[in-house]
Amino acid sequence: MKVTFPHMGTLYIPVRAMLSSLGVDVVVPPPVDGRAVALGAKHAPELACFPLKVNLGNYLLARELGADTILMAGGTGPCRFGYYAQVQREILRDLGLGYEMIVLEPPQGHLRELRDKLRRLVGRRSLADVLRAIRLAWSMFKALDEVDREVLKLRCRELKRGAVDRVRARWLEWVGRARTPAEVKRARDRALRALARVAGPPPRGLVRVGLVGEIFMVLEPAANLGVAERLNRLGAEVDQSVWLSDWIRSHVLPNPFRFKRLDPVRRAARPYLSHFVGGEGLESVGNTVRYAQRGYDGVIQIMPFTCMPEIVAQSILPRVSADHGIPVLTLIMDEHSAEAGLQTRLEAFVDLLRRRREKGLGPKGGGGGVDSKSTGRRRR
Amino acid sequence: MGGPRVGIPRGLGFFEYHVLWQGFFEGLGVEAVASPPTNRDILDRGVRAAVEEACLPVKVYFGHVMELAPRVDLLFVPRLVRMERRLYTCPKFLGLPEMVKSCAGRLPPLLCPVFDENRRGSKAAAAFAQVASRLGVGLARARRAWRQARARQARYRAVLAQGWPRDQALAAARGGALPQASLRPKRSPDGRLKVAVLGHSYLLYDPHLNLGLLARLERLGVEPITGDVLPEERVLQAADSLPKRIFWSFARRTMGGGLYLLERGGVDGIIHLVSFGCGSDALITDLLERFARRRGRLPFMLLTLDEHSGEAGLQTRLEAFVDMIRRRRAERAAGWAG
Ligand code: SF4
Ligand code: SF4
């Protein structure tokens, strides 16, 4: 059995570590690129979520590397993620690929079901082994998020162009090789120190941008055409509101874990959206409010075309923007998005934020402004 | 009466629950008016108010809200979370009240009870009691109104399921007697073609949105069989035969209807009516098309509606579809004969 799984940012590092420490033969799909996107888009329903398409591209390319089993997460609605695996399975079947699928879902009552699935995956490992693997993976999730948080802050300050990304590349290697949570921590500290060394003082005209949106689109730079890095290069410090470890909380752990963490976000969203809507819809609204309160200059919402929860958020964000005087830019992306168009819009947005700052209109200055045309995509 | 006037937008959940809602307000002694059936102006206004990416039913809902806004004291925009246990409506239903507030301009105050049937003894009753109290109606009367409205809704559903047309079911639900069973319109006595039309009630029963689809089929000599007259239990069984239960009510019914018909036949073709940009249907349609292809035989057509859909295009596609079915039928008949 050779197991593969979909990409989402640096997700592959902890998942690979966890599976291989349990003796599973792992095939990491080639990094997401144009080929994966094109393949996925070709075989997936046209109006399906973009992440579903990218997953599919991953599977098809991993197949070429010998994978025969897919490990995927599930869910129970209301957004589409919980049904991805079902659709993907039928597509693969019609393509004549005899892929086996193991779908890990939040247990709906029957813990036995979950156990059986894990048995299929890792055989009869002792509980201690499994827990050790999970602890290792969890420490990686957290560390990966911590380092990337810094990267998004420091990239706009680097003294030599590309220095931050060179540190990051090395860090990803270190963490991938770590065998215990302690090693992960040591590697993380080393990476953080190295980052601090390559960063200088904030550039002139620095603006701060918060990223909200659908989690896959936020976390997978190849899917969002490197929005965060582009912003950094335009002299913006970026903060991301959803992270890998959030995704684990919301998709793998039972609900209470998610909601506890969500409380401040939910409270912030409440005047604008008082009910969950699936996906990251509520988070997108709540975090936009919080960015405004914390004095950020602007917020960018990234969503895949046709994403249901983010359309709810997108409809509501103009009100948040107007009330809090924070500009919001919505980027709607899929396989048709073009780099040139994106770059132009980001430049214009950062310019706007800068001008607002100069005019003293900065954070909480009143008068928002929303631009939410789709990127590169026209309706049929 | 002098009391407040409540407006009920004729969109989305309306087509499932208008009997319940109107019955409830009637029981409270509160005047409730529904917006008129969708027309050009309502649709246009909704389209302008909504974000481009929203689906057609949400856009037209905004239009209905705006149509009512200047004429009522309160707007009834319920938050339909789950119409049955464990099954969601759609993220857009879940965020509907706030989307309306954000997009539809100046509005009177909204009444937004949470309608969630996830548990038995649902919280819906309490949410509606709150609505009543905002309208100045006491708890006892609210409870009674709720019970009666529920009963009326159940009767409406039951009569529909017996195959009566919607207006007759409505009359019966309000306490009128049904005509004799023998007067119930017969299904295809004359061997007319039958085509199943599957889709969300707010597309199927809004003739302006679907460009008069059902009437067009009739005019082509085809009897449209809507999903809700198929035997409910069997439909749901068919849906739940999938490896994983579909967790949206509308989509589950569509899928169940499709699978049931693919299995059992009884119609000459299936039309799946969807809105452009509908998230759940983007997946369900794809699955249903695959299943139809694998089992072969039954012609399947996907009709996607958006605000740019034109009557001419629809008519052409329907004619082609019906022609194709007729040809197949004739070929089969010839095949049998030979
Ligand atoms: S959040 Fe949006 S993109 Fe992600 S699964 Fe749900 S509908 Fe699809
Ligand atoms: S179920 Fe589909 S058509 Fe209905 S509101 Fe949701 S997205 Fe729109």
Side-chain angles (χ1 to χ4, degrees):
Chain A
M1 185 168 75
K2 283 182 153 231
V3 179
T4 192
F5 53 87
H7 268 300
M8 181 167 71
T10 49
L11 176 75
Y12 70 97
I13 293 176
V15 174
R16 180 181 59 194
M18 182 172 77
L19 293 176
S20 30
S21 83
L22 288 170
V24 180
D25 206 351
V26 183
V27 179
V28 176
V32 180
D33 60 2
R35 190 159 161 244
V37 170
L39 258 181
K42 177 170 164 210
H43 296 293
E46 189 201 345
L47 297 177
C49 317
F50 186 47
L52 182 152
K53 301 179 186 178
V54 181
N55 293 173
L56 194 63
N58 293 154
Y59 304 154
L60 294 172
L61 292 175
R63 182 73 193 191
E64 295 174 1
L65 301 178
D68 56 19
T69 304
I70 294 165
L71 179 62
M72 177 65 180
T76 52
C79 105
R80 289 181 278 183
F81 184 78
Y83 226 71
Y84 274 21
Q86 309 304 315
V87 177
Q88 291 164 344
R89 186 200 302 114
E90 302 304 327
I91 296 173
L92 292 169
R93 185 179 147 183
D94 281 348
L95 288 175
L97 297 178
Y99 247 134
E100 170 99 3
M101 262 190 143
I102 301 180
V103 187
L104 296 181
E105 317 238 15
Q108 280 268 308
H110 291 290
L111 274 173
R112 200 172 354 110
E113 228 178 89
L114 187 66
R115 195 197 60 195
D116 291 347
K117 281 179 192 161
L118 290 177
R119 283 258 157 87
R120 252 163 74 204
L121 194 63
V122 300
R124 292 194 169 266
R125 289 273 166 167
S126 75
L127 187 63
D129 281 350
V130 174
L131 287 180
R132 200 171 309 124
I134 291 177
R135 255 200 306 271
L136 173 65
W138 183 243
S139 71
M140 289 179 171
F141 278 123
K142 282 192 309 189
L144 284 162
D145 287 352
E146 278 170 67
V147 172
D148 270 346
R149 213 182 270 278
E150 284 306 299
V151 167
L152 295 183
K153 291 220 158 53
L154 297 181
R155 204 189 260 126
C156 62
R157 307 182 181 189
E158 63 191 3
L159 298 166
K160 263 205 301 223
R161 194 186 156 98
V164 163
D165 286 291
R166 279 192 293 278
V167 173
R168 183 174 185 266
R170 262 183 292 150
W171 148 245
L172 294 183
E173 263 172 47
W174 300 334
V175 65
R177 278 201 304 268
R179 289 285 158 269
T180 63
E183 283 176 32
V184 172
K185 277 211 189 90
R186 267 200 301 281
R188 176 201 63 189
D189 293 343
R190 216 174 131 197
L192 291 176
R193 278 196 307 272
L195 281 175
R197 273 197 304 274
V198 297
R204 279 178 33 138
L206 177 94
V207 292
R208 291 157 77 216
V209 176
L211 284 189
V212 302
E214 197 270 343
I215 195 159
F216 176 91
M217 296 305 290
V218 172
L219 288 176
E220 180 51 66
N224 66 36
L225 303 177
V227 165
E229 188 180 338
R230 283 169 198 272
L231 286 166
N232 287 155
R233 301 251 171 263
L234 290 170
E237 186 182 295
V238 174
D239 188 79
Q240 204 173 288
S241 59
V242 284
W243 292 94
L244 268 183
S245 48
D246 294 317
W247 188 86
I248 299 300
R249 283 196 185 90
S250 57
H251 288 272
V252 185
L253 298 177
N255 271 343
F257 289 91
R258 169 174 220 203
F259 288 134
K260 197 161 157 250
R261 199 186 117 79
L262 252 179
D263 267 352
V265 180
R266 270 207 289 193
R267 251 197 317 270
R270 209 176 161 77
Y272 301 96
L273 180 59
S274 61
H275 201 281
F276 73 92
V277 294
E280 283 70 48
L282 185 61
E283 283 95 322
S284 290
V285 173
N287 281 317
T288 301
V289 174
R290 275 161 54 95
Y291 280 130
Q293 289 167 345
R294 282 152 59 199
Y296 276 70
D297 297 280
V299 169
I300 295 187
Q301 179 201 18
I302 315 179
M303 63 185 260
F305 187 59
T306 76
C307 172
M308 308 155 95
E310 292 302 324
I311 288 176
V312 176
Q314 180 200 6
S315 305
I316 294 171
L317 286 180
R319 261 184 86 209
V320 179
S321 169
D323 285 3
H324 290 266
I326 187 166
V328 176
L329 171 71
T330 293
L331 299 174
I332 300 160
M333 308 185 88
D334 64 9
E335 66 271 23
H336 305 292
S337 311
E339 298 198 357
L342 174 68
Q343 185 64 25
T344 318
R345 295 186 65 204
L346 293 180
E347 279 167 16
F349 189 65
V350 171
D351 267 358
L352 166 81
L353 301 186
R354 219 164 256 149
R355 261 182 310 178
R356 283 170 53 90
R357 259 213 180 180
E358 280 158 16
K359 281 197 228 133
L361 267 177
K364 302 206 175 152
V370 174
D371 165 10
S372 64
K373 276 176 270 80
S374 349
T375 344
R377 161 128 203 166
R378 293 319 312 154
R379 303 249 330 237
R380 305 165 304 160
Chain B
M1 284 196 305
R5 238 162 89 100
V6 176
I8 310 180
R10 190 183 292 267
L12 297 175
F14 182 89
F15 296 91
E16 300 290 323
Y17 288 116
H18 63 103
V19 173
L20 177 74
W21 298 342
Q22 274 166 327
F24 178 69
F25 287 117
E26 212 171 283
L28 296 180
V30 169
E31 188 190 355
V33 290
S35 52
T38 306
N39 55 42
R40 183 66 194 272
D41 182 51
I42 289 177
L43 178 58
D44 284 352
R45 272 200 277 169
V47 167
R48 276 199 302 274
V51 297
E52 188 189 339
E53 286 69 27
C55 54
L56 190 60
V58 164
K59 290 178 177 170
V60 77
Y61 190 89
F62 290 177
H64 283 278
V65 165
M66 295 160 91
E67 166 77 22
L68 284 168
R71 301 193 283 118
V72 297
D73 306 302
L74 290 151
L75 267 170
F76 181 71
V77 183
R79 193 191 307 275
L80 254 55
V81 179
R82 282 170 281 220
M83 307 193 291
E84 47 207 318
R85 222 173 118 68
R86 287 210 196 142
L87 302 182
Y88 287 99
T89 46
C90 158
K92 293 173 199 168
F93 276 68
L94 270 56
L96 189 64
E98 285 94 352
M99 287 171 83
V100 164
K101 271 188 223 162
S102 179
C103 297
R106 287 187 66 81
L107 298 175
L110 303 190
L111 296 168
C112 314
V114 174
F115 189 82
D116 187 347
E117 298 266 50
N118 197 33
R119 267 157 242 242
R120 228 168 292 145
S122 84
K123 285 179 284 184
F128 275 76
Q130 255 179 31
V131 167
S133 102
R134 263 189 73 185
L135 292 165
V137 179
L139 190 59
R141 186 159 185 196
R143 287 221 178 105
R144 199 170 348 112
W146 177 249
R147 263 199 316 277
Q148 282 167 359
R150 277 272 197 191
R152 201 186 263 190
Q153 168 85 10
R155 183 161 160 78
Y156 175 67
R157 287 264 146 215
V159 174
L160 267 190
Q162 287 166 21
W164 292 93
R166 287 176 100 79
D167 47 342
Q168 236 139 23
L170 194 57
R174 294 172 149 271
L178 277 173
Q180 282 179 342
S182 57
L183 291 179
R184 189 162 61 209
K186 286 243 171 41
R187 292 259 158 74
S188 312
D190 45 2
R192 274 201 300 171
L193 286 186
K194 284 189 268 187
V195 169
V197 186
L198 305 175
H200 303 189
S201 50
Y202 42 84
L203 285 179
L204 268 177
Y205 299 113
D206 187 331
H208 187 84
L209 275 195
N210 66 35
L211 306 167
L213 173 66
L214 301 182
R216 277 172 205 276
L217 284 171
E218 301 255 15
R219 280 203 298 277
L220 288 172
V222 172
E223 182 183 337
I225 309 283
T226 50
D228 53 1
V229 303
L230 302 174
E232 181 169 2
E233 221 170 288
R234 309 268 302 273
V235 164
L236 297 184
Q237 253 172 29
D240 294 344
S241 69
L242 293 178
K244 174 171 177 161
R245 194 186 221 214
I246 295 174
F247 42 66
W248 304 285
S249 288
F250 294 114
R252 173 163 168 253
R253 273 158 203 273
T254 301
M255 176 59 82
L259 288 176
Y260 169 79
L261 292 167
L262 288 177
E263 199 59 46
R264 189 189 145 279
V267 295
D268 301 284
I270 300 179
I271 294 179
H272 186 193
L273 183 66
V274 305
S275 157
F276 183 81
C278 171
S280 48
D281 276 348
L283 303 188
I284 296 312
T285 306
D286 182 75
L287 286 177
L288 204 48
E289 266 177 331
R290 283 174 198 281
F291 298 149
R293 221 178 303 130
R294 285 182 203 166
R295 301 191 200 193
R297 285 294 147 91
L298 212 47
F300 182 92
M301 178 163 82
L302 175 66
L303 263 189
T304 307
L305 298 171
D306 66 15
E307 57 267 37
H308 311 298
S309 305
E311 301 195 339
L314 174 69
Q315 186 64 23
T316 317
R317 286 198 62 199
L318 284 183
E319 282 169 13
F321 187 62
V322 171
D323 278 352
M324 189 258 283
I325 293 176
R326 288 225 162 86
R327 243 184 357 259
R328 278 210 192 182
R329 225 197 202 187
E331 276 162 21
R332 260 216 307 280
W336 280 116

